[in-house]
Amino acid sequence: MRKYADLAMIGIKEHTAYLSSVWANFLAKVVYLYMQFALWNALFASNKGSNIPLSHNETIRYIIVATIISTFMECDVIGWINGQIQSGDVANQLIRPIDYKFMIFARHIGTSLARFVIYTIPLMILICIFYNGELFCKKQLACGILSIILAYMIQFLYSLIIGLMAFWLIVTWPLNMLLAAIYKLLSGSWIPAAMFPELLTKINMFLPFRAIYAIPVTIITTPMSAESIRESLSIQLFWVVALFLISEAAWVVGKNKLVVQGG
Amino acid sequence: MSIEVNNLTKIYKQKKHQKKIAVDNISFTIPGGEIVGFIGPNGAGKSTTIKMMTGILTPDNGSISINGMNFKKNRKEIMLKTGVVFGQKSVLCWDIPVIDSLKLFRDMYRVPREVFIENMDAFIAILGLDEFIDQPPRLLSLGQRMKADLAASLIYNPDVLFLDEPTIGIDVLSKERIRHFIKKINEERHTTIILTTHDVSDIESLCEKMIIIDKGALIYDGTLPQLKSDYRTTDLEEIIKKIYLAGEKRYEKIC
Ligand SMILES: Nc1ncnc2c1ncn2[C@@H]1O[C@H](COP(=O)(O)OP(=O)(O)O)[C@@H](O)[C@H]1O
Ligand SMILES: [Mg+2]
């Protein structure tokens, strides 16, 4: 267990090694949130909300909670794996007596902890000061936290699978750009998933993305029946299992295909 | 620990369906406790062979057995007993103080407290590790980084140590210290050491046995004195030059 704690610690230190980027990241989050806020306010002011499925208030709550979650959920796992493949550093990971995936996960947890302290808490304090209203559905908060944990697993496993694809593709950034855009849109981190047109909603039913933001944020912000909470959580659980199995398969295939760069 | 390599082959797929046979059906045995020089011109396939012997790459054909164990069945056991240093790439975390990487390896390889302290003392005494232990590798000079890498690969007392060009770009005095340290480790702990280098004096001062490969094929496998008596000269540099030249000529004929 200690070795995982060490790895998490290294994740924390790595994330805080470049202090200026920490500040830039935090400012970027604040600006992003403000822009979202201004945008939706303007949209609702001009439209009166006649054909928007969420109310003004619900929408604002959604984007605030989604932004808060994104501060610790977003990870660089794809970037790490790609970087390690391209520089050949992946060799250093493969000679260790620990599973590569666990090493990446431990480091990812460390980074998330660092992000939580550096970004999430200050952002929540800022929001407490500037937003006066009920942000959370208190009754559903416990389920919401459980849902966030499941979403965290899904987000990690998804990133791991895409990252592992570099084991045989080596250069994956064009694919990554495309996937990043799809991810941002379909997960509901930009726009509440409830506002998607019908076709997109249908496609999204069969994809894991909405389980990362749309489901946990909705559980936290919108009152729901116990049954639909249960259903949402089961969908997430399904994706955790499915993505875990896919990641195992990707690992087995990738390990044999891997070509380490550099002499 | 002894190493047995049988009919090892690795083929890289290069652009446009071109294939490159980097390691071509080589076999050799390395008995436990020896220092073996693994020599060959640039692109001979040394690093590729080492990557297969350390379980990083999967061979396309052939087998590797380390003390009777193989990577399919005993991956973790082998990893616990293997140390690797790549001269061209650090095994340490780039942005993290060296000491943190050492502590990570202590926990990862379950090094007992006394052993860790004892080894750290030795690293400080011989390699002068204390000078830069609190700095991250990105702030170290090449020689310092190499010393830190050696320490990181030896902190858990591996039974086999792979050194891929450990003296590349290092000044004479540091090189001397590193060699001395490698020799000492081998004598005290009976660590099996596989060393690739382009520096003839590294081989002269360290290796009893030599394995020479060229274009992926095994050229020589025997002792250093034997090689010298075969070529009737004690000038190792001359011998190696001859072997490499002969390899180039053979290659020209085929093409
Ligand atoms: N990732 C790779 N993709 C394609 N070819 C490679 C790759 N790595 C090495 N090679 C080729 O395999 C051969 C052996 O390389 P290597 O084992 O690094 O040689 P050495 O370490 O002896 O200098 C070289 O011809 C090199 O061009
Ligand atoms: Mg090499």
Side-chain angles (χ1 to χ4, degrees):
Chain A
M1 217 43 224
R2 291 249 331 238
K3 57 196 175 199
Y4 297 113
D6 290 337
L7 281 165
M9 200 61 214
I10 283 174
I12 292 176
K13 287 192 182 169
E14 263 173 350
H15 193 75
T16 47
Y18 303 94
L19 256 183
S20 53
S21 81
V22 166
W23 277 108
N25 279 341
F26 183 68
L27 274 177
K29 279 288 172 202
V30 174
V31 171
Y32 171 80
L33 186 58
Y34 180 76
M35 273 171 50
Q36 279 266 25
F37 202 70
L39 188 78
W40 288 107
N41 277 341
L43 250 152
F44 274 98
S46 67
N47 188 292
K48 301 278 172 274
S50 52
N51 50 10
I52 301 177
L54 292 185
S55 72
H56 186 174
N57 199 353
E58 278 171 336
T59 310
I60 296 296
R61 283 209 307 257
Y62 184 100
I63 57 134
I64 290 177
V65 173
T67 308
I68 292 175
I69 291 178
S70 77
T71 51
F72 61 90
M73 181 89 83
E74 284 318 309
C75 69
D76 229 358
V77 168
I78 299 177
W80 286 341
I81 300 180
N82 283 192
Q84 284 180 358
I85 301 276
Q86 263 155 43
S87 66
D89 277 345
V90 66
N92 296 335
Q93 320 289 314
L94 296 174
I95 55 175
R96 304 293 164 213
I98 312 189
D99 205 316
Y100 182 66
K101 292 162 289 171
F102 288 133
M103 278 207 267
I104 296 273
F105 187 57
R107 209 174 122 190
H108 175 43
I109 295 239
T111 312
S112 294
L113 285 175
R115 283 169 160 273
F116 193 83
V117 174
I118 303 171
Y119 308 128
T120 315
I121 293 177
L123 193 67
M124 289 220 273
I125 292 171
L126 272 186
I127 288 164
C128 279
I129 297 170
F130 291 105
Y131 182 84
N132 31 20
E134 284 284 303
L135 210 49
F136 307 129
C137 238
K138 289 220 176 65
K139 271 197 303 201
Q140 289 165 207
L141 201 56
C143 288
I145 289 168
L146 179 64
S147 177
I148 290 177
I149 294 170
L150 289 170
Y152 188 82
M153 306 293 294
I154 294 169
Q155 143 76 12
F156 172 74
L157 289 168
Y158 165 77
S159 308
L160 182 68
I161 292 166
I162 303 301
L164 286 177
M165 280 164 72
F167 273 50
W168 58 93
L169 297 176
I170 298 186
V171 179
T172 51
W173 69 264
L175 179 72
N176 289 348
M177 301 267 281
L178 178 70
L179 284 173
I182 293 176
Y183 170 91
K184 281 245 165 80
L185 178 66
L186 294 187
S187 69
S189 73
W190 273 347
I191 304 166
M195 294 183 183
F196 289 172
E198 202 175 329
L199 180 67
L200 212 53
T201 309
K202 272 199 182 126
I203 295 173
N204 220 6
M205 292 302 273
F206 299 98
L207 294 171
F209 301 107
R210 73 199 163 105
I212 300 171
Y213 283 100
I215 290 180
V217 177
T218 309
I219 293 181
I220 287 183
T221 55
T222 332
M224 290 163 78
S225 69
E227 193 171 333
S228 46
I229 291 181
R230 220 174 302 131
E231 193 191 307
S232 296
L233 291 176
S234 336
I235 291 170
Q236 285 187 304
L237 207 57
F238 165 79
W239 280 114
V240 170
V241 175
L243 292 177
F244 177 76
L245 294 176
I246 297 172
S247 73
E248 287 292 310
W251 172 248
V252 171
V253 178
K255 203 176 54 186
N256 289 327
K257 292 230 175 191
L258 172 69
V259 174
V260 178
Q261 307 291 300
Chain B
M1 296 211 300
S2 62
I3 301 172
E4 213 183 300
V5 170
N6 273 314
N7 306 104
L8 201 63
T9 303
K10 182 77 196 178
I11 302 164
Y12 288 116
K13 291 183 189 70
Q14 288 171 336
K15 267 180 253 168
K16 292 178 209 149
H17 305 286
Q18 263 187 344
K19 285 181 180 172
K20 165 94 202 173
I21 304 178
V23 176
D24 190 2
N25 202 27
I26 62 174
S27 307
F28 54 81
T29 306
I30 297 170
E34 286 206 27
I35 304 185
V36 179
F38 193 48
I39 316 297
N42 293 320
K46 304 179 295 293
S47 298
T48 306
T49 309
I50 288 193
K51 281 172 193 160
M52 288 190 281
M53 289 201 279
T54 47
I56 296 166
L57 290 182
T58 316
D60 289 314
N61 193 24
S63 65
I64 296 155
S65 152
I66 295 177
N67 245 14
M69 300 185 285
N70 65 56
F71 287 106
K72 271 227 171 72
K73 278 192 205 139
N74 321 85
R75 190 177 181 92
K76 203 171 161 188
E77 280 120 294
I78 299 174
M79 295 312 183
L80 280 169
K81 293 179 172 160
T82 314
V84 189
V85 173
F86 298 107
Q88 316 196 5
K89 196 126 278 173
S90 180
V91 297
L92 302 162
C93 304
W94 199 237
D95 290 321
I96 304 300
V98 172
I99 182 70
D100 289 339
S101 290
L102 291 173
K103 282 182 180 159
L104 168 67
F105 292 158
R106 174 193 66 195
D107 297 336
M108 208 185 255
Y109 291 86
R110 299 184 222 119
V111 183
R113 239 189 117 70
E114 324 80 69
V115 177
F116 182 76
I117 292 169
E118 191 184 311
N119 282 347
M120 286 303 283
D121 288 345
F123 298 155
I124 288 169
I126 306 171
L127 297 174
L129 208 64
D130 48 337
E131 281 172 41
F132 47 82
I133 201 157
D134 293 318
Q135 287 181 22
R138 71 184 151 96
L139 301 181
L140 300 184
S141 77
L142 191 61
Q144 290 173 326
R145 205 217 76 206
M146 187 52 63
K147 288 172 187 166
D149 261 56
L150 272 172
S153 315
L154 286 164
I155 193 80
Y156 48 90
N157 292 355
D159 289 334
V160 187
L161 179 64
F162 292 91
L163 301 170
D164 193 355
E165 304 193 31
T167 51
I168 191 169
I170 288 179
D171 74 70
V172 274
L173 192 61
S174 301
K175 219 186 258 189
E176 177 110 3
R177 296 222 171 100
I178 288 174
R179 274 185 210 146
H180 171 74
F181 182 68
I182 293 172
K183 188 119 202 151
K184 192 171 132 82
I185 292 289
N186 170 261
E187 278 163 6
E188 285 175 3
R189 301 185 192 162
H190 287 276
T191 312
T192 312
I193 296 174
I194 294 90
L195 166 77
T196 84
T197 179
H198 292 296
D199 187 331
V200 174
S201 52
D202 279 350
I203 305 162
E204 292 267 23
S205 59
L206 287 172
C207 306
E208 304 127 44
K209 227 190 123 177
M210 282 187 45
I211 292 173
I212 305 179
I213 64 168
D214 192 3
K215 315 237 160 27
L218 193 75
I219 302 285
Y220 179 81
D221 175 9
T223 63
L224 189 53
Q226 180 65 44
L227 186 71
K228 286 179 177 173
S229 80
D230 282 357
Y231 280 82
R232 295 200 184 81
T233 169
T234 51
D235 188 347
L236 184 58
E237 185 147 358
E238 202 56 42
I239 299 174
I240 291 177
K241 244 188 251 169
K242 268 185 189 160
I243 293 175
Y244 289 2
L245 262 173
E248 271 179 13
K249 285 216 183 94
R250 222 175 319 126
Y251 190 65
E252 277 163 18
K253 255 184 224 159
I254 297 166
C255 291

